[in-house]
Amino acid sequence: MSTMTFLMLAATFLPLLGALGLLAVPKENRRAFEVGAVAITIVSFLMSVPFWFDALGMAGEMHKVQWAWAVDWIPSMGVKFSVGMDGISLILWLLTTFLGPIGAACSWGNIDERHKEYYVWLLVLQTSMLGVFIVQDMFVFYVFWEIMLVPMYFLIGIWGGPQKLYAAIKLFLYTLGGSVLMLVAILAIYFLQHTATGTYDFSIASFQAMASTIAQQSHTFQILIALAFFVGFAIKVPMFPFHTWLPDAHVQAPTAGSVILAGILLKMGTYGFLRFMLPIVPNATKELLPWFVALSIIGIIYGALVAMIQKDMKKLVAYSSVSHLGLCMLGMFAFNPNAMKGALFQMVNHGISTPGLFLAVSVVYERRHTRMIADYGGLSKTMPVYATIFMIMTMSSIGLPGLNGFIGEFAILAGTFQTWPWAAVLATTGIILGAAYMLWMYQRVMFGPINAVNAEMADLNTREILVFAPLVVAAFWLGLYPKPLMTLLEAPVAKLVEQVSPGYHAAARLAEVQAKAAATGMRGMEAPPEAHGAAAGEGHAVAAPEGHAAPAAGAKAPEHGGH
């Protein structure tokens, strides 16, 4: 095992080890749990930082699994504890370690009971999410995928709002139902693999290698596998019409639950599409593509329209997630590099802007214990620092140039326009509506007359500013300098596009050559650029077309019509 592999495992499992350590602390020591959880997640994040620089140094190789290590777990079933990351899983793993300390720190002062159990479950959730992104075995992936449900269920069910049990059970049943369908698809491929190769192997690489064998099976088999994966991942995203659990979960969840749910858990669905459905059943996915694209566009516009009529700020932000992730799905289903890179970039953007918005809502809720937009107004007069940070997060969400949201939205729309111009136009409608509802909410909360109660509200304290600071920095960094992240995504996205559409890059290069040739007006017969200097007497020989003698230096060119 290499040092970097050990560091990857340490960063992933440190929160779990920390949770076990906190179990030994007396439950009365509230500060120990608060400080301990933040410290553990910060150390986990610091351990993950070297992977960013290591990956940038080998960006061209990030389509392959790096820092790999495997050990037999259940040999008779072909199960291995196999870990490693490529560029796609790395950025989501880093986003998870980045949001971990923010989720722990924003809980200070917000949890009134069972502090010990709360922070233990929060740390267990952190390890389960990190594990999803590093494992390279389908069996182990499914284990981590299911484990995530347990801590989130308790975080909402115990420390949530008035309807917490309803929201927690709804989340659990929806996600579990989708997971069972996904398990059926995994087992179907697993046994088909044994029939085709005589071996049992749960590795993700072997499942992706089954794409050609699956393509030879019956049409019904392929469609059912694709639909099973689709439902399992679409519920997690969530895509329309599987989204109804999300607003309830967000509204009832504690602040850290909303931050983690929006920032990471929703990305599990999009990650599942990229890692499993598209590479394993590309043909069936293409056949069902019109339905998937239609659902994505409906989600974009429907989510925006429903968000616009919300009276609860938290519910408004929750429905904005339905719209924004619909845009990510549209870019993913466009099947070209620009749109797919935009979708991945936007997944990261959503993991920055939406947690920031939920944190902004929680700040005023802690002071007034209401999330109704109508209860506020004029807060910019008494809370200028809060108003500034809230504005940055709002502009990040609606895609203002200079902030992170613009880059992802532009790449998605540009790539989608290459494939379906009409879909890009409809998606733009959702973006316009998104700007409308976010700015309208901001205007009603921050400006206008202020009542006596709101006039007494205190501005952000130092802890709250420190919680927001990483999100603000990340929003500006990705908006002003997106090159490193785009570079890191180049190779893995190119591989994914080739898996989905074999020969795509060769066809794209041929089309580019033909376009350049046509631009010269000579259909490719013009001499290469380096030859022009020779013709001007730079001392280089000019290659003549095969079968023709080159003209002597200084020879007079024939006049038009000459022989």
Side-chain angles (χ1 to χ4, degrees):
M1 182 189 298
S2 68
T3 302
M4 291 297 286
T5 302
F6 177 79
L7 198 60
M8 175 181 67
L9 291 171
T12 299
F13 288 98
L14 179 63
L16 178 61
L17 295 176
L20 295 175
L22 290 180
L23 288 176
V25 178
K27 63 181 181 180
E28 295 80 12
N29 196 345
R30 172 176 177 175
R31 183 59 66 185
F33 298 116
E34 294 176 338
V35 175
V38 172
I40 290 165
T41 49
I42 288 177
V43 172
S44 176
F45 169 67
L46 293 176
M47 287 180 173
S48 71
V49 171
F51 290 87
W52 169 258
F53 298 100
D54 200 28
L56 288 179
M58 54 180 180
E61 296 296 314
M62 287 307 296
H63 62 289
K64 302 175 184 176
V65 175
Q66 306 293 336
W67 315 295
W69 179 74
V71 61
D72 285 335
W73 187 17
I74 313 176
S76 60
M77 295 174 57
V79 178
K80 293 184 177 182
F81 184 78
S82 175
V83 296
M85 294 184 288
D86 66 353
I88 293 173
S89 51
L90 173 65
I91 62 168
L92 295 175
W93 186 74
L94 290 172
L95 179 64
T96 307
T97 63
F98 173 74
L99 290 177
I102 295 173
C106 74
S107 301
W108 285 22
N110 297 335
I111 305 302
D112 299 323
E113 59 180 356
R114 299 184 178 179
H115 304 94
K116 180 176 185 175
E117 293 90 338
Y118 175 84
Y119 286 102
V120 166
W121 281 124
L122 196 65
L123 292 172
V124 171
L125 177 61
Q126 182 75 355
T127 286
S128 63
M129 293 187 300
L130 291 170
V132 165
F133 297 123
I134 70 167
V135 295
Q136 296 298 318
D137 184 278
M138 290 292 286
F139 184 93
V140 184
F141 166 83
Y142 191 80
V143 170
F144 278 105
W145 180 274
E146 291 296 273
I147 287 175
M148 283 189 302
L149 279 177
V150 179
M152 183 54 75
Y153 172 83
F154 284 115
L155 287 173
I156 297 175
I158 297 176
W159 295 276
Q163 295 180 305
K164 54 191 177 184
L165 285 178
Y166 169 78
I169 292 172
K170 191 173 182 179
L171 162 67
F172 195 93
L173 292 179
Y174 262 74
T175 310
L176 183 62
S179 299
V180 170
L181 285 176
M182 181 177 69
L183 178 61
V184 172
I186 291 172
L187 291 176
I189 298 172
Y190 175 71
F191 289 113
L192 176 62
Q193 177 192 67
H194 181 261
T195 302
T197 66
T199 60
Y200 288 116
D201 190 354
F202 269 110
S203 71
I204 293 176
S206 70
F207 269 61
Q208 293 181 352
M210 285 293 294
S212 57
T213 303
I214 295 172
Q216 298 169 10
Q217 306 306 305
S218 69
H219 177 263
T220 302
F221 179 86
Q222 296 180 56
I223 295 297
L224 289 176
I225 292 293
L227 288 176
F229 276 131
F230 174 78
V231 173
F233 298 135
I235 289 174
K236 205 79 166 183
V237 171
M239 288 181 69
F240 177 91
F242 307 103
H243 66 283
T244 58
W245 63 268
L246 181 65
D248 293 315
H250 269 313
V251 169
Q252 300 303 320
T255 300
S258 293
V259 167
I260 293 170
L261 187 61
I264 305 301
L265 284 185
L266 304 188
K267 311 306 179 302
M268 300 293 180
T270 51
Y271 177 73
F273 278 109
L274 291 168
R275 178 64 72 227
F276 305 113
M277 182 175 173
L278 299 188
I280 293 175
V281 283
N283 293 342
T285 302
K286 290 177 183 176
E287 186 170 341
L288 296 168
L289 203 55
W291 296 98
F292 297 162
V293 171
L295 291 177
S296 299
I297 294 173
I298 292 172
I300 294 170
I301 299 175
Y302 168 83
L305 288 173
V306 176
M308 189 171 290
I309 65 172
Q310 296 304 314
K311 299 178 181 179
D312 184 320
M313 284 190 284
K314 205 172 186 185
K315 189 170 283 190
L316 184 150
V317 178
Y319 275 107
S320 77
S321 290
V322 176
S323 183
H324 290 156
L325 287 166
L327 188 64
C328 290
M329 296 307 303
L330 180 63
M332 195 181 304
F333 289 133
F335 289 170
N336 67 61
N338 285 335
M340 283 191 167
K341 280 190 288 187
L344 279 161
F345 202 100
Q346 195 66 0
M347 286 160 59
V348 176
N349 292 338
H350 183 268
I352 293 169
S353 60
T354 305
L357 290 171
F358 279 121
L359 287 172
V361 173
S362 74
V363 167
V364 291
Y365 179 77
E366 290 167 21
R367 288 157 170 76
R368 288 262 347 242
H369 298 289
T370 175
R371 293 188 296 264
M372 296 298 109
I373 296 173
D375 291 334
Y376 296 100
L379 293 186
S380 61
K381 299 173 184 177
T382 58
M383 303 177 70
V385 177
Y386 171 71
T388 302
I389 292 178
F390 199 168
M391 173 60 79
I392 292 171
M393 291 294 99
T394 300
M395 293 302 175
S396 168
S397 178
I398 66 179
L400 181 74
L403 291 169
N404 57 327
F406 174 74
I407 304 298
E409 289 180 355
F410 180 83
I412 290 173
L413 293 177
T416 302
F417 195 87
Q418 292 177 252
T419 308
W420 309 292
W422 60 270
V425 172
L426 290 175
T428 304
T429 304
I431 294 174
I432 295 170
L433 291 172
Y437 65 70
M438 290 302 301
L439 291 176
W440 191 30
M441 176 189 71
Y442 187 85
Q443 179 265 325
R444 287 178 288 170
V445 172
M446 293 298 166
F447 302 112
I450 184 170
N451 60 35
V453 178
N454 291 333
E456 298 297 322
M457 291 173 62
D459 207 347
L460 298 181
N461 57 41
T462 303
R463 178 187 65 83
E464 291 168 332
I465 292 174
L466 291 176
V467 170
F468 276 110
L471 298 173
V472 173
V473 171
F476 278 107
W477 174 50
L478 292 177
L480 297 173
Y481 189 52
K483 180 182 176 181
L485 183 55
M486 282 295 191
T487 301
L488 191 58
L489 293 175
E490 193 80 36
V493 166
K495 177 185 176 182
L496 181 60
V497 171
E498 194 66 25
Q499 286 177 311
V500 175
S501 302
Y504 174 90
H505 296 290
R509 285 192 294 269
L510 178 61
E512 184 180 352
V513 170
Q514 290 174 336
K516 288 182 179 179
T520 66
M522 300 181 67
R523 292 178 176 83
M525 293 302 293
E526 184 181 52
E530 59 271 16
H532 292 297
E538 294 180 5
H540 298 285
V542 180
E546 187 177 351
H548 296 273
K556 182 179 179 181
E559 297 181 4
H560 294 293
H563 299 283

